[in-house]
């Protein structure tokens, strides 16, 4: 389930709002070229307080540098590079721009921004940056469009055949208490005229053998059953059928097929409607 992020950055020239300073700068440069963006000298910008902990903790996976404006499409054209840009908000990493190129080698950048400035961090190892999302300490291979991880490159390549057809994704999991879906439109269900409820009883017979990697120590052998047929009025059509003895499963199937033939005959038979004079008046 995807949750839309709150737009925090407003354009002072028009009425548009954006979720990050990076997107606001892109909009200003494209729609309002008369406005000059103030540049920030390298090394003078500070990492936002909420993000500095993450950058220090993942220091082995990142190289940080400052940039007030960055165009992935322009840079990849001039330098012949495959560049991907990822955002970082609310303690989550998500894709902002993913190149359509399929080069094996690529440059991954992490954009960290606040209201004053922004940082681009070179992601040297995506597996280390996102390593806290799993307890497995081995190297993982990530899809840059959805950030799903895979243990083998072969599985990742199979996934890319389908994922590359879609745009980048930011997956948001539902909050606790909202992570259950319950069917509520019961009134849209098609009513069934007859329902059969059945139950089996069985003996546990000891039987020791192996099947593949599974060791079987016992099996269930049916010894009896019971079933009841409920009609359209919610009442049983006939008394409960009960059987105890050998070949219970075969006996059950034979009886159920007979019941099916009887019920099908009732459903397919056309009975003329018997209407009283009052029924005819109500129908009109």
């Amino acid at each position: 389930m995807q949750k839309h992020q709150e737009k925090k950055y407003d354009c002072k020239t028009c009425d548009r709002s954006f979720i990050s300073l990076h997107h606001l700068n892109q909009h200003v440069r494209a729609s309002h070229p008369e406005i000059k963006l103030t540049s920030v000298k390298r090394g003078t910008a500070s990492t936002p307080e909420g993000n500095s902990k993450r950058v220090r903790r993942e220091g082995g996976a990142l190289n940080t540098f400052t940039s007030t404006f960055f165009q992935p499409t322009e840079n990849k054209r001039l330098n012949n590079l495959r560049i991907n840009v990822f955002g970082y908000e609310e303690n989550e990493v998500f894709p902002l721009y993913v190149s359509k190129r399929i080069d094996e080698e690529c440059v991954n950048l992490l954009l960290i921004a606040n209201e004053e400035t922004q940082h681009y961090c070179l992601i040297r190892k995506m597996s280390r940056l996102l390593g806290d999302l799993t307890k497995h300490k081995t190297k993982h291979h990530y899809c840059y469009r959805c950030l799903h991880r895979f243990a083998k490159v072969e599985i990742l390549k199979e996934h890319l055949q389908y994922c590359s057809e879609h745009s980048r994704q930011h997956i948001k999991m539902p909050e606790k208490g909202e992570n259950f879906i319950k069917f509520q439109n019961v009134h849209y269900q098609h009513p069934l005229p007859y329902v059969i409820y059945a139950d089996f009883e069985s003996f546990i017979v000891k039987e020791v053998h192996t099947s593949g990697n599974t060791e079987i120590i016992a099996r269930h052998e049916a010894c009896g059953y019971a079933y009841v047929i409920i009609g359209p009025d919610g009442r049983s059509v006939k008394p409960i059928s009960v059987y105890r003895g050998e070949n219970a499963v075969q006996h059950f199937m034979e009886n159920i097929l007979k019941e099916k033939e009887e019920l099908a005959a009732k459903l397919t038979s056309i009975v003329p409607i018997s209407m009283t004079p009052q029924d005819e008046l109500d129908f009109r």
Side-chain angles (χ1 to χ4, degrees):
M1 183 180 294
Q2 186 171 0
K3 182 179 179 182
H4 295 286
Q5 297 178 348
E6 181 182 358
K7 297 182 178 180
K8 305 176 182 178
Y9 302 93
D10 301 325
C11 177
K12 297 181 180 179
T13 307
C14 59
D15 296 332
R16 297 192 60 182
S17 300
F18 302 88
I19 62 174
S20 67
L21 183 63
H22 171 69
H23 294 91
L24 175 60
N25 287 343
Q26 284 186 327
H27 163 73
V28 171
R29 185 169 182 175
S31 303
H32 311 293
E34 69 279 2
I35 300 178
K36 294 183 179 180
L37 296 174
T38 305
S39 61
V40 180
K41 294 182 180 180
R42 181 183 299 271
T44 59
S46 59
T47 304
E49 181 179 356
N51 299 327
S52 58
K53 182 178 180 181
R54 173 84 178 206
V55 173
R56 288 197 298 270
R57 182 159 53 91
E58 304 293 350
L62 298 174
N63 279 343
T64 306
F65 61 93
T66 305
S67 175
T68 55
F69 203 86
F70 179 77
Q71 285 283 6
T73 53
E74 184 69 14
N75 275 269
K76 77 173 185 179
R77 183 183 67 82
L78 296 176
N79 299 289
N80 193 27
L81 295 174
R82 176 190 174 193
I83 299 177
N84 303 320
V85 180
F86 299 87
Y88 179 76
E89 289 183 2
E90 299 180 358
N91 205 30
E92 288 188 9
V93 178
F94 54 91
L96 289 175
Y97 172 84
V98 179
S99 175
K100 296 181 179 179
R101 295 174 53 163
I102 57 175
D103 308 40
E104 291 292 336
E105 299 294 333
C106 65
V107 177
N108 293 323
L109 301 176
L110 179 67
L111 173 63
I112 303 176
N114 63 6
E115 297 180 357
E116 299 178 356
T117 186
Q118 59 188 18
H119 277 291
Y120 279 98
C121 305
L122 175 63
I123 304 175
R124 294 190 294 172
K125 293 183 179 180
M126 184 68 73
S127 183
R128 292 188 63 182
L129 177 64
L130 304 178
D132 60 342
L133 300 179
T134 175
K135 295 182 180 180
H136 297 280
K137 301 305 179 183
T138 57
K139 180 180 178 180
H140 287 84
H141 307 276
Y142 285 85
C143 171
Y144 297 139
R145 292 186 177 275
C146 61
L147 292 184
H148 281 189
R149 59 182 175 272
F150 302 90
K152 298 181 179 179
V153 179
E154 294 77 10
I155 304 177
L156 172 61
K157 290 182 178 180
E158 293 180 3
H159 166 81
L160 290 175
Q161 295 178 4
Y162 305 97
C163 194
S164 59
E165 299 177 359
H166 305 281
S167 59
R168 60 189 184 276
Q169 303 174 38
H170 182 192
I171 299 176
K172 298 286 290 185
M173 300 303 294
E175 300 292 338
K176 187 176 181 180
E178 300 178 357
N179 51 347
F180 291 95
I181 298 178
K182 183 179 180 181
F183 181 75
Q184 298 178 346
N185 296 326
V186 181
H187 53 283
Y188 289 136
Q189 290 182 315
H190 182 70
L192 299 177
Y194 297 98
V195 180
I196 300 177
Y197 296 98
D199 180 47
F200 271 85
E201 296 295 335
S202 62
F203 292 122
I204 298 179
V205 181
K206 291 185 178 181
E207 182 178 294
V208 180
H209 67 277
T210 58
S211 176
N213 296 327
T214 304
E215 181 182 357
I216 300 175
I217 60 175
R219 62 182 176 86
H220 288 259
E221 184 174 331
C223 61
Y225 65 85
Y227 68 84
V228 62
I229 304 174
I230 304 299
D233 57 355
R235 300 180 180 180
S236 58
V237 176
K238 58 176 66 176
I240 299 176
S241 299
V242 180
Y243 174 81
R244 297 186 184 92
E246 298 180 353
N247 300 323
V249 176
Q250 181 179 353
H251 192 275
F252 172 78
M253 294 303 301
E254 292 175 353
N255 277 9
I256 286 296
L257 291 176
K258 292 179 182 179
E259 301 287 1
K260 173 252 182 184
E261 297 295 336
E262 295 180 6
L263 296 178
K266 292 181 180 180
L267 293 174
T268 55
S269 62
I270 301 176
V271 179
I273 300 177
S274 177
M275 299 182 65
T276 64
Q278 184 62 39
D279 292 335
E280 294 181 357
L281 290 176
D282 295 339
F283 179 74
R284 294 176 184 176

